[in-house]
Amino acid sequence: MNKLRSSQIFMILFLNAAFSFLCQNAPFTIEGIFGALIGTAAVLLLCMPMGYLYHRNFSFTAYASSHRILPLCFVFYFLIQGGISFLHVQETSQTLSLPVTGKFMAAALIAIVCLYTSSLGIQALARSSTLIFGVLLFTLAVMFLGAIPQAEPQNLSLSEQDTIFSAVLRTLSSAEELPVLFLLLNFVEQPKFRTIVHVWIGKLLLFLYISLLSMAVLGHLMMQSDFPFFSTTAISQPFSTQRADALYFVLFVLLSIFRITLYTVLSSHFLQIAIPKIQHSSSISLILMLIISWASAMLSLSPLWNIPILILFALFVPLYFLLHKKRGTAI
């Protein structure tokens, strides 16, 4: 992998988070906002060991070149997240009425595109993040223009169906950017703590923006909405003669491809480092993701399973490397 800039890491993880918010089926609430504030503070604390580790010139690529277990653990996690992303695509595409037949067809078509985009590598993905980031900002601006006439400030009230504690857990369980950030910092010339701070503050601000607009527009309809973001965009149309649905469809497809490509590139890269003789690692990764998405559709797992894994990757793994550096022993 080539070197990345801090701004590219920010956009990569910002777009990754945006996909989660578009596909979120939990209602946006005032309690959710307070929970997101607390959860973001907790995530920033979790990131401190990894920031300090890379500040001391740590190289995960050098470690992975002589060790297999931990890199393969990251690969396995990214395959699971890629599979879950495919599942989100299938579930959300039913609501959006995408021009494809069958929910699995949408995932299959996106997988074909991702097979090509992943072959271009992380550097091409980072360059494309600038364009997609611009599309996202333009779409959010259009959403704002449509939402303002429909917004009712009295809808911003507390909810009986949510609590701050459950919102904190929801924020922590959706912080799947943590392992990605840990690995991407490996490809920055001079990793800095402000890179980490910018990522999570940006994600928080995006969540606040979407939450407040959705609550103000949907009101009591929030609880009946399967996907609050798209319900909000369906009600708030900024143009009197032309609906903006196509813009949101394009954004959804772009973010889907971007997110799955990101997990495919990372899985493929570290799979090749751990198993140098393996061939067609991108194809293998995408096929495994589709199988995982099919299996996930048959299971009903709580998203809370993600929290201990994220803590392991974001906290204990960096602490393990810091301990060895402090002792001066070989890892």
Side-chain angles (χ1 to χ4, degrees):
M1 283 191 179
N2 298 317
K3 291 295 181 180
L4 301 176
R5 298 192 302 271
S6 295
S7 59
Q8 291 176 323
I9 290 183
F10 168 80
M11 286 186 285
I12 287 173
L13 297 182
F14 190 85
L15 295 174
N16 192 70
F19 175 83
S20 299
F21 296 147
L22 265 62
C23 297
Q24 178 173 319
N25 52 19
F28 295 114
T29 63
I30 294 295
E31 290 84 354
I33 290 177
F34 286 117
L37 291 171
I38 298 172
T40 300
V43 170
L44 282 172
L45 290 176
L46 285 175
C47 289
M48 291 301 102
M50 77 167 71
Y52 182 63
L53 176 65
Y54 279 108
H55 185 69
R56 299 185 60 184
N57 300 318
F58 171 73
S59 173
F60 186 78
T61 300
Y63 169 83
S65 62
S66 56
H67 299 78
R68 289 188 176 183
I69 295 179
L70 185 57
L72 288 177
C73 288
F74 275 102
V75 169
F76 185 62
Y77 178 78
F78 292 142
L79 291 176
I80 292 177
Q81 286 300 329
I84 293 175
S85 299
F86 273 121
L87 182 61
H88 288 327
V89 169
Q90 296 173 50
E91 293 173 344
T92 310
S93 63
Q94 297 180 88
T95 302
L96 297 181
S97 300
L98 293 176
V100 292
T101 304
K103 63 179 183 179
F104 187 78
M105 181 60 67
L109 291 175
I110 288 178
I112 294 173
V113 177
C114 290
L115 181 60
Y116 169 73
T117 55
S118 61
S119 66
L120 302 177
I122 191 68
Q123 194 67 33
L125 185 70
R127 288 194 297 268
S128 69
S129 66
T130 304
L131 175 61
I132 302 176
F133 184 75
V135 173
L136 173 61
L137 294 183
F138 177 74
T139 305
L140 293 177
V142 172
M143 179 184 178
F144 179 81
L145 293 176
I148 289 302
Q150 308 293 334
E152 298 181 5
Q154 61 268 26
N155 289 335
L156 303 178
S157 58
L158 296 175
S159 170
E160 298 179 355
Q161 287 78 24
D162 200 8
T163 64
I164 294 178
F165 179 72
S166 62
V168 172
L169 293 179
R170 191 162 58 244
T171 301
L172 293 176
S173 64
S174 62
E176 61 269 0
E177 292 82 14
L178 277 169
V180 180
L181 176 61
F182 177 75
L183 295 185
L184 290 185
L185 286 175
N186 185 61
F187 304 105
V188 181
E189 288 289 352
Q190 294 180 336
K192 297 179 180 179
F193 284 101
R194 66 182 181 185
T195 303
I196 297 174
V197 175
H198 290 168
V199 167
W200 296 108
I201 295 300
K203 180 178 179 178
L204 175 63
L205 292 177
L206 177 62
F207 176 78
L208 294 178
Y209 182 89
I210 295 177
S211 295
L212 291 173
L213 283 184
S214 298
M215 285 188 288
V217 171
L218 293 179
H220 67 279
L221 298 176
M222 177 72 73
M223 298 304 165
Q224 286 77 47
S225 174
D226 292 330
F227 299 97
F229 175 86
F230 290 106
S231 297
T232 302
T233 59
I235 294 176
S236 54
Q237 294 292 331
F239 311 119
S240 58
T241 58
Q242 178 68 42
R243 290 180 63 87
D245 295 342
L247 179 61
Y248 301 116
F249 292 169
V250 169
L251 177 66
F252 172 72
V253 172
L254 286 176
L255 292 178
S256 301
I257 294 172
F258 187 89
R259 180 185 175 98
I260 295 172
T261 299
L262 173 62
Y263 289 131
T264 304
V265 168
L266 291 175
S267 300
S268 173
H269 177 73
F270 288 99
L271 191 60
Q272 287 180 325
I273 292 178
I275 310 175
K277 294 183 179 181
I278 195 169
Q279 296 181 348
H280 309 294
S281 56
S282 296
S283 301
I284 293 174
S285 297
L286 281 167
I287 292 173
L288 290 175
M289 288 177 186
L290 288 172
I291 293 174
I292 291 172
S293 71
W294 172 78
S296 300
M298 299 183 178
L299 303 175
S300 180
L301 296 177
S302 169
L304 298 181
W305 69 269
N306 207 19
I307 295 179
I309 296 177
L310 293 175
I311 293 176
L312 173 65
F313 283 141
L315 182 62
F316 290 106
V317 168
L319 287 177
Y320 166 77
F321 289 123
L322 284 172
L323 182 62
H324 278 275
K325 274 186 169 292
K326 184 177 180 180
R327 292 179 176 177
T329 57
I331 300 176

